[in-house]
Amino acid sequence: MSGIDAVLTRLDDTAQAELAALYRDLHQHPEPAFEEKRTARIAADRLRESGFEVRTGVGGTGVVGVLRNGEGPTVALRADMDALPVLERTGLPYASVENGLMHACGHDMHVTCLSGAAQLLSAARDQWQGTLVALFQPAEEIAAGAKAMVDDGLFDLTGPPSVVLGQHVFPRPAGTVFIRPGEILGAADSIEIRLYGRGGHSSQPERTVDPVVLAAAIVMRLQTVVSREVSPFERAVLTVAQIHAGHKENVIADEASITLNIRTFSPEVRRRLLAAIERVVNAEATASGAPRPPAFHTLNAFPLTANDPTATVRLTEAFTTRFGPAGVADMAPMMGSEDFGVFGTAAGAPSVFWGLGSADPSRYARAEQAGRLGEDVPGNHSPFFAPLIFPTLPMGVEALVTAALTWLHS
């Protein structure tokens, strides 16, 4: 029996049922960024029960578990914990009981899988050597949690990791992991722009500078930035997601704000988009006769997520051995963003991030054939997003165990 088999033999029906109950509980009780106190307490308690040295409150609400088991490499496994301000509409019996909050991105599944993997690896310490680090990270959704943990002395607690590993559920067929070397998730920047006008009565627009008209002109002009200033061979997205102005139908407001988000894979394209946004906004404000220049405020910035090529090849081979060729697929680059890469960059260590399929395979196949994936297979951040618990959960645990033992072999 291999070391992986010896560890996973404990992932029996009873263990899977217990983890499924944990997942449903976490799904019912989502918590927003930097407020994951209940989730962190549960994660910390389970780590302590498994013999880990545990530190809580790292980077706010982060939890760090360290299990030292002789000489060898240090492997860090990461799960994010925060939920989203989304009103759940799945109709599940274990749907969120927190109004306006939902685990719409699967972080509850991530926490459950890491908790299960940590428990199994602790119980089979005779099968591996080295140091296992379990990172339960806050505030991934606002690109702040990983940096907060690093800034709070994370690696002083754990020592430098040899590799950092993480996974994420996606609306792809359950029973499959998705992985590739190199760039896999784009960089993202979110910006709030405040526009200044001159308010007045709606019957006298000539006495005003209307910030709503200014905002509308900016939105339309920004739609040409990607189509006319970025090469068709590059990848970029620019989305204006929010416009706010005014409080009454017969009052022209004196201010408006727009919030936008860009996604890029190239530092040069990112620089070009940010410069174009500033140029367009300032030019339109000048053209409108705005009394003050616009104010720009960065809300968050996600780094590019790129897998270390050598470590990724090593892990892909391990996954293929474990799950078979049919269980491992290529993870095409996505415009979604993550702050997972902060850990590897800060530690100077290779990192690997892979996808975990979570959609019903039959439903996915029917939707794909009909060209209705977007309609029939809800994706991350949708109010209908609901990972299939089985086989997603046991495979997620198995993937983390396999990944850890790829480096922590005896």
Side-chain angles (χ1 to χ4, degrees):
M1 182 183 294
S2 72
I4 295 175
D5 290 328
V7 174
L8 290 172
T9 190
R10 294 175 170 83
L11 190 61
D12 55 17
D13 291 346
T14 300
Q16 291 187 37
E18 191 269 335
L19 287 172
L22 171 63
Y23 167 72
R24 295 186 185 98
D25 176 72
L26 293 173
H27 189 85
Q28 281 191 298
H29 299 92
E31 297 171 298
F34 288 127
E35 296 181 31
E36 310 94 338
K37 296 177 182 177
R38 181 181 185 273
T39 306
R41 184 176 65 253
I42 291 171
D45 287 346
R46 292 179 67 90
L47 288 175
R48 289 191 188 98
E49 290 170 4
S50 295
F52 282 74
E53 304 167 24
V54 177
R55 181 70 65 89
T56 60
V58 180
T61 46
V63 176
V64 179
V66 180
L67 187 62
R68 306 183 196 278
N69 191 33
E71 296 297 323
T74 297
V75 172
L77 303 179
R78 174 267 204 173
D80 38 14
M81 301 187 292
D82 53 326
L84 285 159
V86 172
L87 180 63
E88 182 162 355
R89 298 175 64 189
T90 62
L92 291 167
Y94 53 89
S96 170
V97 298
E98 305 295 337
N99 189 39
L101 281 174
M102 178 189 173
H103 269 299
C105 203
H107 296 187
D108 45 352
M109 182 65 74
H110 305 163
V111 171
T112 306
C113 289
L114 179 52
S115 180
Q119 188 176 31
L120 292 174
L121 287 163
S122 174
R125 275 174 269 187
D126 58 328
Q127 298 296 321
W128 57 273
Q129 288 184 192
T131 298
L132 176 65
V133 177
L135 304 177
F136 291 90
Q137 179 208 313
E140 182 278 330
E141 294 291 356
I142 61 171
K147 184 177 185 300
M149 293 186 77
V150 169
D151 290 347
D152 202 17
L154 168 64
F155 297 123
D156 294 332
L157 301 173
T158 66
S162 306
V163 66
V164 184
L165 306 167
Q167 65 184 4
H168 200 297
V169 291
F170 291 118
R172 299 279 297 275
T176 311
V177 294
F178 304 86
I179 189 169
R180 67 175 292 138
E183 299 168 349
I184 54 168
L185 298 175
D189 295 89
S190 295
I191 305 165
E192 181 184 56
I193 304 169
R194 186 157 293 279
L195 307 170
Y196 300 101
R198 186 167 58 246
H201 200 287
S202 64
S203 67
Q204 298 176 312
E206 77 281 2
R207 300 172 65 89
T208 72
V209 174
D210 192 338
V212 173
V213 175
L214 170 57
I218 288 171
V219 171
M220 294 306 297
R221 181 73 179 184
L222 287 177
Q223 302 312 300
T224 69
V225 171
V226 172
S227 66
R228 289 297 175 266
E229 299 191 36
V230 176
S231 166
F233 297 102
E234 297 279 5
R235 290 167 291 190
V237 175
L238 191 162
T239 299
V240 179
Q242 292 179 300
I243 303 178
H244 297 285
H247 301 284
K248 203 171 187 303
E249 79 286 348
N250 64 347
V251 177
I252 293 175
D254 57 2
E255 290 188 12
S257 68
I258 62 176
T259 303
L260 57 85
N261 177 263
I262 66 169
R263 307 277 171 149
T264 57
F265 271 87
S266 158
E268 172 57 27
V269 172
R270 176 180 180 270
R271 183 199 63 76
R272 208 179 312 150
L273 258 62
L274 291 173
I277 290 166
E278 189 168 348
R279 185 191 74 236
V280 166
V281 171
N282 283 325
E284 291 291 351
T286 299
S288 296
R292 292 171 55 188
F296 297 80
H297 173 61
T298 298
L299 299 176
N300 56 61
F302 289 86
L304 182 70
T305 302
N307 281 341
D308 177 82
T310 301
T312 304
V313 168
R314 182 175 178 179
L315 185 54
T316 302
E317 291 174 352
F319 280 163
T320 303
T321 298
R322 186 69 204 173
F323 302 123
V328 182
D330 180 65
M331 183 176 177
M334 300 168 58
M335 277 297 183
S337 302
E338 257 279 357
D339 66 352
F340 167 78
V342 169
F343 292 115
T345 299
S351 62
V352 186
F353 190 75
W354 65 91
L356 178 65
S358 65
D360 182 289
S362 298
R363 182 178 183 181
Y364 186 94
R366 290 194 301 270
E368 186 175 41
Q369 185 174 15
R372 291 180 54 86
L373 281 176
E375 298 91 339
D376 296 345
V377 182
N380 304 81
H381 292 212
S382 163
F384 298 100
F385 183 65
L388 194 67
I389 298 179
F390 297 101
T392 308
L393 174 54
M395 189 162 190
V397 174
E398 194 169 343
L400 287 172
V401 168
T402 300
L405 293 182
T406 301
W407 278 265
L408 292 173
H409 48 75
S410 58

